[in-house]
Amino acid sequence: MGTLSAGGRFFKDEELEIIEQQRLQALLEITEQHGKEVTQLKSRLDTAEQKTEKLGKQVKNDETELKTLRASNPDRMKKQVKRLQEQNRTLTTENGALKTKQKQLTQQLNTSKQELEQLQADKEEGKSEEEK
């Protein structure tokens, strides 16, 4: 027995079965393709979520580190200032000692110059007395 289609043509039951099988096959292929695409999209979504989670943890770690650095920065600066002040005191002390040493050496030099001048004057005086 046949069935009337919308175009006015009669189809046999075998032809209808073949058409139905082709429709089912096409639906199966579409469903398989859709399943593959959904699987791929799920995989990409999972990967993106993992990356987001990793980056979120990294942001939290970076924020914690930044807070620590901000909190410790005044301490670091105080320590650096103290260290520089101590260096400055040491250098100032050394500078004072070197100035004192320079004064002593200058005095010794002046004394030696005076002695030398005196000796030269005495020597000249001795020569002039010998000549007489």
Side-chain angles (χ1 to χ4, degrees):
M1 177 145 191
T3 305
L4 183 64
S5 73
R9 178 173 177 252
F10 286 99
F11 289 101
K12 294 182 183 176
D13 288 334
E14 294 93 24
E15 288 178 334
L16 287 176
E17 256 184 61
I18 292 173
I19 292 172
E20 190 63 28
Q21 283 178 354
Q22 289 174 344
R23 282 186 192 162
L24 286 174
Q25 185 65 33
L27 281 173
L28 286 173
E29 288 175 10
I30 291 171
T31 304
E32 281 181 33
Q33 185 63 30
H34 177 72
K36 287 179 185 177
E37 288 177 9
V38 167
T39 304
Q40 287 174 351
L41 290 173
K42 274 186 179 180
S43 174
R44 289 172 56 193
L45 178 63
D46 288 343
T47 304
E49 284 176 347
Q50 288 173 356
K51 284 182 182 179
T52 302
E53 196 174 309
K54 256 187 196 176
L55 291 174
K57 287 179 183 178
Q58 187 175 354
V59 166
K60 285 182 182 179
N61 290 340
D62 290 348
E63 286 174 351
T64 303
E65 184 180 353
L66 181 61
K67 285 179 184 177
T68 303
L69 288 174
R70 283 183 177 161
S72 70
N73 194 29
D75 292 339
R76 260 193 204 157
M77 293 302 288
K78 286 177 186 175
K79 287 178 183 176
Q80 188 173 9
V81 166
K82 284 182 181 179
R83 183 180 54 79
L84 291 173
Q85 286 174 338
E86 185 60 34
Q87 280 181 344
N88 191 29
R89 279 189 216 107
T90 304
L91 291 174
T92 302
T93 304
E94 286 179 24
N95 192 23
L98 289 172
K99 283 183 179 180
T100 303
K101 185 76 170 173
Q102 184 182 12
K103 283 181 184 178
Q104 289 174 352
L105 291 172
T106 303
Q107 287 175 350
Q108 284 179 357
L109 180 63
N110 288 338
T111 305
S112 296
K113 279 183 181 179
Q114 286 176 354
E115 287 177 8
L116 180 63
E117 287 173 2
Q118 184 65 38
L119 287 172
Q120 284 177 343
D122 288 347
K123 185 178 179 183
E124 296 237 348
E125 198 175 294
K127 277 186 182 180
S128 60
E129 281 183 18
E130 283 180 15
E131 289 177 4
K132 290 184 181 184

